Amino acid sequence: AKIGKPYAPILEEALHYFSLKKEDVILVGDNLETDILLGVKQGIETILVTTGVHQKEDCERLNIHPDHIISSLLEIF
């Protein structure tokens, strides 16, 4: 079995550890191919922050589409 993002076991363990359900969390990340792909594949709301690995333009190229795209974590608040 594979472990780590974007594979489900890491998410399942985190949800179990914190006693949360998928609908109770939002996955925030800067990497479409790991962070965001995990959320998309597992049906979790996602936010791409464009201060790191990927930018908005990469969504079409990689065909990975987060629910929201922000340019700073401050936009969450």
Side-chain angles (χ1 to χ4, degrees):
K2 294 182 179 181
I3 266 300
K5 299 175 288 184
Y7 303 106
I10 191 113
L11 173 65
E12 292 163 2
E13 284 299 315
L15 292 172
H16 176 74
Y17 182 82
F18 291 106
S19 299
L20 294 170
K21 298 175 190 164
K22 289 180 181 181
E23 54 270 14
D24 296 331
V25 300
I26 298 174
L27 202 151
V28 179
D30 69 347
N31 188 321
L32 287 165
E33 296 173 295
T34 58
D35 309 323
I36 303 304
L37 186 57
L38 173 63
V40 168
K41 283 185 169 184
Q42 298 304 313
I44 292 179
E45 188 173 356
T46 56
I47 299 175
L48 172 67
V49 184
T50 60
T51 55
V53 178
H54 290 112
Q55 302 299 309
K56 182 178 183 177
E57 299 77 33
D58 296 316
C59 296
E60 289 302 321
R61 179 176 61 81
L62 296 170
N63 196 30
I64 301 170
H65 302 282
D67 296 295
H68 312 280
I69 300 173
I70 60 175
S71 58
S72 167
L73 285 175
L74 294 174
E75 291 181 48
I76 292 175
F77 305 103

